[in-house]
Amino acid sequence: MTGRSDTTSPRSPAPISDYGLLGDTRTAALVASDGAVDWLCVPRFDGEPLFGRLIGGPDAGTFRIGPARPATVVERRYRRHSATLETTWAVGGSRLTLTEGMIAEVSGRLLPTTLIVRRLSTEDAAVDAVVDFDPRLGVRHRRPRVHHRHQALVCQWGSLAVSLSSSPTLTIEPGRPTVITVRPGRPVTLVLAVAHREPLIHVEPAAAWDLLDEDEDRWRAWSAEIDESLPFREHVVRSLLTMRLLTYSPSRAPVAAPTTSLPEDPGGVRNWDYRYVWPRDASIGVSAFLSVGKPDEARGFLAWLLHASRLQRPRLPAVLTLYGRHVPRERELPGWPGYLDSVPVRIGNAAAGQHQLDGYGWVIDAAWAFVQAGQPLYSETWRAVRGFADVVSRCWQEPDAGIWEVREPAQHIHSKLMGWLALDRALRIADTHPLPGRQRRRWQEARDAIAAEVRVSGFDPTATSYVRGYASRDLDAALLVLPLLGMDSGDPPRVRGTVDAIRDRLSAGGPLLYRYPPGRDGLPGTEGAFLPCSFWLVQALAGTGRRSEAVELFRSMLDLASPLGLYAEELDPATGAHLGNYPQTLTHAALVQAALAIRDAPG
């Protein structure tokens, strides 16, 4: 059944878009089309990498199972409306299929918190495959202490342990690839279990395979509840599934992405850690879930936010950990080569200390969407929202880092608009929730003052467009939210002029947009087109009566997804390569919002 192979051919890094996502709502693995898990952090999204080859190189570990000799991928897909991934290779005159997934529902049963199930099968003829299991934990790529228990290979690092079991039983040694033969009707199943500060639970491979079947059924039932009338429903469901997989179930907090330091500029320094929670991005996702009939996801996030912001309230932190704590100090990892030599590799995020006014607008707008959906706010939640609105009314005139988190604070027009949104939506909530008259008047005065100042200082009459900042003529794609706010609904030429100017002057070719003029952020190097901006443009077109244009643009964006329907943060306009952390929750939330805007647009 098994044979030993002491060498394997060196692997070049796969394109970012080549990776599929396996997730269990607590952590996530990225698996390449050759069957290699090159990224997995344990025990959470923001934990230490167990397999980190994606940005740490060969010394950072991988877990590959796939063809032992050169093969061609003939099909790769998620099983419909599920998180189960299938990859099929043509190997000589036969085919080899890898079916894999993670178990999301473990509560109420004696199961490990993280359980990955991977099965190789063939229907034609026997195929040689390879199992390369090489776990290396943390920033120093630590090798494990190894022993065997219950016919499973157990690797241990202090309070963390993982086990690898198989059926039929294979002889596997960490770091030494093993060649096996997969025969028709005799699939090979491997099960990886992770335990952190808890007993390591052994799950028989046959039982683990049944669990994966059950998990698949649950995801299909979850997907079936999504509004059937949605345009582009299959794409929307895949994005919602991705967003749900990236929501940390113990706290209900959505992580921005499961990765760190995938570059916005390959070979450059624009490499950031996104394994945390941005309340702004999460709020966009909340509105998306609410609009497709998933109020529980929205309720869970608001409950998390109430808990997470309690120590800093009424200030709203820009970034938080999955449990609502302070994000670790940003630091660089020496010796990590980075993806395509993109260094430094970073963990932690310095944006945690920034003042970002726009976040208040997104969060309060999400609370308003919750109220609109017939879900009144709990008194403590309303008290928190009132505190956020009070902060906006006091500090809206101050410079901030803005949505793009520039290192030097400035007077960003988008931030002012979102400050206006925060106060406007808080006042709407106050129509059905208690609010003292003095506080109401203070919010109204601040809201009206923001509108007056932005209309004068934030508008360039020669370009017939709002601009990026005071005394600036640069554009900002974030201003595509303007048609959605209602602030300038009485002046359509300003709104339409802003949309058209951004579409023209920030174009990166085809449906793509830069978020601002390239090179205008104080950092060395360049970056790609920012994918959420294109979906915001779809929303803006739909919201200004141009539904057919919105549909055409949306279709063009669907063509740019990865083969599995996933999106990174950015895209290289010249090559179509996905750039930045992946998959990106914000991009998928923007896709859903764009589809909703098309649904709701007249005509």
Side-chain angles (χ1 to χ4, degrees), residues 483 496 538-550 597 601-603:
R496 188 163 184 143
V538 172
Q539 283 183 272
L541 292 171
T544 53
R546 291 183 276 181
R547 187 179 188 278
S548 61
E549 293 178 62

Side-chain angles (χ1 to χ4, degrees), residues 325-398:
R325 301 191 179 105
H326 293 288
V327 170
R329 176 182 58 84
E330 184 175 294
R331 63 190 181 95
E332 301 175 2
L333 300 184
W336 281 59
Y339 179 83
L340 294 179
D341 301 320
S342 304
V343 291
V345 171
R346 294 181 172 94
I347 58 174
N349 199 299
Q354 291 182 343
H355 167 49
Q356 297 178 14
L357 182 66
D358 71 291
Y360 295 87
W362 293 112
V363 166
I364 297 179
D365 188 53
W368 164 238
F370 195 69
V371 172
Q372 277 186 303
Q375 307 282 337
L377 303 180
Y378 293 125
S379 59
E380 188 179 355
T381 306
W382 175 225
R383 185 159 53 249
V385 169
R386 286 166 52 187
F388 295 151
D390 281 340
V391 169
V392 174
S393 69
R394 290 196 305 269
C395 71
W396 68 267
Q397 292 174 302
E398 298 174 8

